[in-house]
Amino acid sequence: MRELADRPEDVPAVFAERFNSGDAAALAQVYEDAAVLVPQPGAPVTGSELHVANGRLQGLGVPISVRPRHVYRSVDLALLIVDWVIDGVGREGEAVHVEGTATDVARRGPDGRWRYVIDNPFGTLSLGEEPCPPGVSGS
C-alpha cells in the first residue's frame, strides 16, 4: 500500500488507494487525529464519527476515483479542490452513484507527511441538499 503523501497534491490519490483497499485503519491514517469530516453539508464530525462516516461509504464496496482540480499550498498547509466519484454496483447488487467536488485542507505533519485536517467531500453543496444515498451519511 502506498505511503502517506510527501506532497499535498498526492493526498487524494493516497486517500483513494486506501479507501479502495477496504482497510478502515489504513484510511484513518490519512487524517490528523483532530481532523474534521463534513459528510453532509453543515454537519461536521470528528473522531470515531469521522471513521464511521467513511466506513459507510467504504461499506458500499464500490471504488472511488479522484481527480484533483487545484492544489494551493502555503508552507505546511494546502487547499485541495478535488472532483471524485463512487460509481458501480454495490455488494447487494444495487447501482451506486455518489459524486462531489471536495474542498479539503491538508497539513504537513512533523514526519513530513501530508494528512487531511478538513475533509469536505461535498464542498460545493448547499445546506439541505442530500449528497449521499440513504444510510450512507454521517448524520
Side-chain angles (χ1 to χ4, degrees):
M1 184 168 307
R2 181 188 295 231
E3 292 292 321
L4 293 176
D6 289 324
R7 306 174 320 147
E9 53 268 27
D10 295 332
V11 175
V14 171
F15 175 91
E17 180 179 312
R18 289 172 178 235
F19 180 96
N20 293 340
S21 77
D23 184 340
L27 181 60
Q29 294 172 350
V30 180
Y31 293 88
E32 286 192 354
D33 290 341
V36 173
L37 171 67
V38 186
Q40 298 284 332
V45 296
T46 61
S48 63
E49 291 180 43
L50 179 153
H51 304 300
V52 167
N54 271 337
R56 287 185 184 126
L57 285 174
Q58 268 188 310
L60 294 171
V62 179
I64 191 170
S65 61
V66 297
R67 188 175 53 91
R69 193 187 300 187
H70 303 289
V71 176
Y72 303 108
R73 178 180 173 179
S74 176
V75 189
D76 291 339
L77 287 176
L79 172 65
L80 298 94
I81 310 299
V82 181
D83 296 318
W84 61 272
V85 64
I86 298 172
D87 189 54
V89 178
R91 291 194 170 111
E92 304 296 321
E94 76 285 6
V96 174
H97 183 85
V98 186
E99 65 181 301
T101 298
T103 54
D104 299 330
V105 177
R107 178 171 29 219
R108 182 171 44 201
D111 62 356
R113 304 295 184 162
W114 289 82
R115 293 172 182 84
Y116 285 125
V117 179
I118 301 171
D119 181 1
N120 186 15
F122 300 102
T124 59
L125 291 185
S126 300
L127 286 176
E129 289 186 74
E130 288 294 325
C132 291
V136 175
S137 74
S139 53

